[in-house]
Structure formats: structure tokens, C-alpha cells
Amino acid sequence: MNPSSRIAGTAAGRPALWPGLAFALIGSIAFSGKAIIVKLAYRHGTDAVTLLMLRMLFALPLFLALAWWSGRGRPALSRRDWGAVFGLGFSGYYLASFLDFLGLAYISASLERLILYLNPTLVLLLGVLLHGRKVSARQLLALAVSYGGVLLVFGHELNDLGPNVGLGTLLVFGSALSYAVYLVQSGQEVQRLGALRLTGLATTVACLLCIGQFLLLRPLESVLAVPAPVLWLSLLNATACTFAPVILVMMGIERLGATLAAQTGLVGPMSTILMGIFILGEPMTPWILGGTALVLAGVALLARWR
């Protein structure tokens, strides 16, 4: 057998990486577009409660279908399972989404994405607080680098956008913390129910909570006053930036493994910044570039030194 035949045979026996990379990359970019759509919708005078309800209303049938499809032929959920699903749906998708939408009213899409990208550092800190895990000196250094990047961008926006930047930053940080709680607590349920089934069920719970919140806080007829562009933006948010990325990232993880798929998330902050510049007209400054570089470097070091 000549060398070229042997190489071809090896390649044929090993699945190609590019489909998994494409799924994971497109999913990460689509996730990052959520902040852009929310900022565009805010320009039409819509509030966070209404905007979140519309997103979840459009996404509800898709996640119901996902929960049904992934649960076919599997045992029914116990009372304990339903309790866990409700808690995870509340923390990981309802509360995290609501705080994020509120925060985006006060800060740029770029800063929002950098704060959310701190998620691995919050998972590490929660592991220390809840499970007594040890943190090495190198991990502390990685944390310092990441948070230094966020503080750099925060300080710049505080000068440009005013004191409400502090409120927006706290709200989005609360969103990241809420989602980190979901990640820390969901491990056992993922093993029991499966990732897709848990995602479908938990997001269905979150959709119902968001719709119920709207019915409690806003008159039903206010939906009729929502501008048509907001409806279209919410439909796009629900499909292209909420449901589709969940499926794409899961398909990427299936083909690449969680570690390699997670590394493709590095494109998220950069894609948000670029979309913020070209779609929202947000400025590109050395502060944003420097802060982004620090956050990405810190998270990459944390993944390497975990």
C-alpha cells in the first residue's frame, strides 16, 4: 500500500472534525446575536417584561417539541425530577434571561457579552463555596485576568454612559451567576434525563414563567400595541438566537466532545462586538479590545489550568 492510500484510509476511518466545528461555531455566534436583537428592540420603546415574554412565547412550541422528541420511550419523570426541572428552569433560563434583558437596557452589548463570558469563573467560585473545592494560585491568576478585563470595559462605559452602567452591570452579572448555578446543579440531572430532554423541559418551564410574569405585570391588551418590528425581532430571537443555537451546540458537543466544543465559545464575545459595531453603531475602542483580550485570555488560562 502506498503512503497516499494509507493516509486516505486513516482519514476515512476517522470522522471529520469540520461538521462539529461548524455546528459549534455557528451556535456560538447565534447565541451572541441575542444581545444585538434585544438592543434593537429597545429602540422601539419595548420594556424587558414584554420583550422576554414575546421571545419565550415564540420559543415555547419549539422547546415543547424538543422535550417530547427527546423523551420518547424514556421513563416518566418522578416528583423529584419535576422539582429539579422547575428549579433549573427558574435559575438557568427564566431568572438568567430576565436579569440579562433588564441589564441590556443600561450597558452595551459588548460589555454584556464579556460579563456573561465570565461564566466558567463563576462555576469555579460556586464549586469552592458550595462543595469546598480548592483553588490553585494559577486559577486565581486566571480569575484576576478575566475580571480585570471586565473592569477595564466597565470603567470606560461608566465615563461614557453614566451611573446606570453600574446597575446594568450588576443585573447582567446576576444573570451570569444565575446561569452558573444552573450549570453547577444540573450535572446529576443531565446524567439522569439526558441533555436535550433536560434542556427542553427546563426551557419550557422558563417560557411559562416568562409568559405568566407578563400576565401578572402587564395588561393583556398591551400586546396589541407592540410594534411590528419588535414582533419580528422577537421571532428571530426565539428561533435563530435561542432554539437553533441549543441544537447546534449540542450537535457540536456530540461530534467534538465538550472540551473542544467549549473552546469554540471564544468566538462569542468577538462576534457580539463586531455585530455591535456594524449593526448597533457601538464604538470600537482600545478599552473594549483590551478588555476583551483579557477576558478571553483569563478564561482560556482557567480552562488550561483547571
Side-chain angles (χ1 to χ4, degrees):
M1 181 182 295
N2 60 47
S4 60
S5 299
R6 185 165 58 248
I7 293 171
T10 302
R14 184 173 59 239
L17 289 178
W18 70 264
L21 285 172
F23 289 139
L25 285 170
I26 295 171
S28 296
I29 294 170
F31 267 132
S32 67
K34 176 260 303 173
I36 307 300
I37 291 177
V38 172
K39 297 289 282 187
L40 287 172
Y42 277 150
R43 294 179 177 179
H44 295 275
T46 310
D47 64 278
V49 172
T50 303
L51 197 57
L52 184 59
M53 180 278 295
L54 291 171
R55 176 205 189 193
M56 294 306 206
L57 180 66
F58 289 131
L60 178 58
L62 300 173
F63 284 116
L64 278 172
L66 176 62
W68 169 80
W69 182 85
S70 57
R72 292 175 303 162
R74 306 192 66 174
L77 271 65
S78 65
R79 182 177 298 180
R80 175 197 173 280
D81 291 332
W82 279 115
V85 166
F86 181 86
L88 293 172
F90 178 88
S91 173
Y93 295 103
Y94 162 71
L95 185 60
S97 296
F98 185 46
L99 293 175
D100 185 37
F101 274 51
L102 288 174
L104 275 167
Y106 305 110
I107 63 176
S108 69
S110 300
L111 179 55
E112 180 257 8
R113 180 52 47 181
L114 292 183
I115 296 170
L116 294 183
Y117 201 71
L118 293 174
N119 209 266
T121 70
L122 295 173
V123 170
L124 174 66
L125 293 173
L126 285 174
V128 174
L129 295 174
L130 299 178
H131 304 292
R133 294 173 184 164
K134 302 294 184 182
V135 180
S136 68
R138 293 196 299 182
Q139 288 174 323
L140 288 175
L141 175 60
L143 292 175
V145 171
S146 290
Y147 284 86
V150 171
L151 289 174
L152 186 65
V153 180
F154 170 76
H156 172 69
E157 292 209 358
L158 191 61
N159 289 330
D160 285 356
L161 302 181
N164 283 337
V165 170
L167 174 59
T169 299
L170 285 175
L171 288 168
V172 176
F173 187 80
S175 170
L177 181 59
S178 183
Y179 192 71
V181 171
Y182 165 81
L183 292 176
V184 170
Q185 300 298 329
S186 65
Q188 184 178 358
E189 299 307 316
V190 168
Q191 296 299 320
R192 288 169 50 81
L193 303 178
L196 284 179
R197 190 183 188 192
L198 178 61
T199 299
L201 291 169
T203 46
T204 296
V205 167
C207 289
L208 295 175
L209 288 172
C210 292
I211 295 169
Q213 174 181 258
F214 173 83
L215 294 175
L216 286 173
L217 300 178
R218 301 287 185 272
L220 184 58
E221 59 271 19
S222 65
V223 176
L224 300 176
V226 174
V230 174
L231 295 176
W232 288 111
L233 287 168
S234 297
L235 179 61
L236 182 63
N237 198 356
T239 53
C241 299
T242 303
F243 181 76
V246 168
I247 303 301
L248 289 168
V249 170
M250 286 295 180
M251 293 171 68
I253 291 173
E254 183 181 29
R255 289 160 174 79
L256 301 174
T259 301
L260 183 55
Q263 293 177 16
T264 64
L266 291 170
V267 305
M270 289 307 304
S271 60
T272 300
I273 290 172
L274 291 175
M275 284 188 283
I277 293 169
F278 292 107
I279 298 176
L280 300 177
E282 293 183 351
M284 169 63 80
T285 67
W287 304 102
I288 292 177
L289 288 175
T292 302
L294 287 173
V295 171
L296 296 180
V299 172
L301 289 173
L302 187 62
R304 183 176 181 179
W305 292 338
R306 63 183 176 181

